[in-house]
């Protein structure tokens, strides 16, 4: 099995995030990050990988905040 390459990019420069990066961006746990990403309809499946659209998550958070 081939290992996924990791590049040193700032989270703000990435379009798609993996779940660990989404957790880091939101400063929350796995279940909360997945729930927020799903509610924002930001889930992108590429084969078996699950990635999250950063802009959709940020827009969703801006829309639900008071």
């Amino acid at each position: 099995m081939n290992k996924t390459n990791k590049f040193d990019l700032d989270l703000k420069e990435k379009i798609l995030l993996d779940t660990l990066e989404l957790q880091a961006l939101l400063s929350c746990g796995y279940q909360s990050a997945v729930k927020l990403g799903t509610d924002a309809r930001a889930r992108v499946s590429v084969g078996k990988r699950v990635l999250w659209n950063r802009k959709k998550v940020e827009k969703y958070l801006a829309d639900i905040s008071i």
Side-chain angles (χ1 to χ4, degrees):
M1 183 156 89
N2 296 331
K3 184 177 178 183
T4 303
N5 293 331
K6 291 282 186 173
F7 298 100
D8 251 352
L9 291 176
D10 186 29
L11 289 180
K12 292 291 183 183
E13 295 176 6
K14 293 185 175 186
I15 298 170
L16 297 175
L17 307 172
D18 63 16
T19 306
L20 288 175
E21 292 169 334
L22 183 64
Q23 285 178 253
L25 180 70
L26 299 174
S27 299
C28 63
Y30 177 84
Q31 290 180 348
S32 297
V34 170
K35 180 167 177 13
L36 280 168
T38 304
D39 291 346
R41 296 183 177 184
R43 182 183 167 122
V44 178
S45 295
V46 180
K48 290 184 179 181
R49 292 186 69 190
V50 175
L51 301 170
W52 305 94
N53 186 319
R54 180 185 50 84
K55 289 184 181 182
K56 283 188 176 183
V57 171
E58 289 176 348
K59 183 179 180 326
Y60 176 74
L61 289 174
D63 290 344
I64 66 169
S65 64
I66 297 174

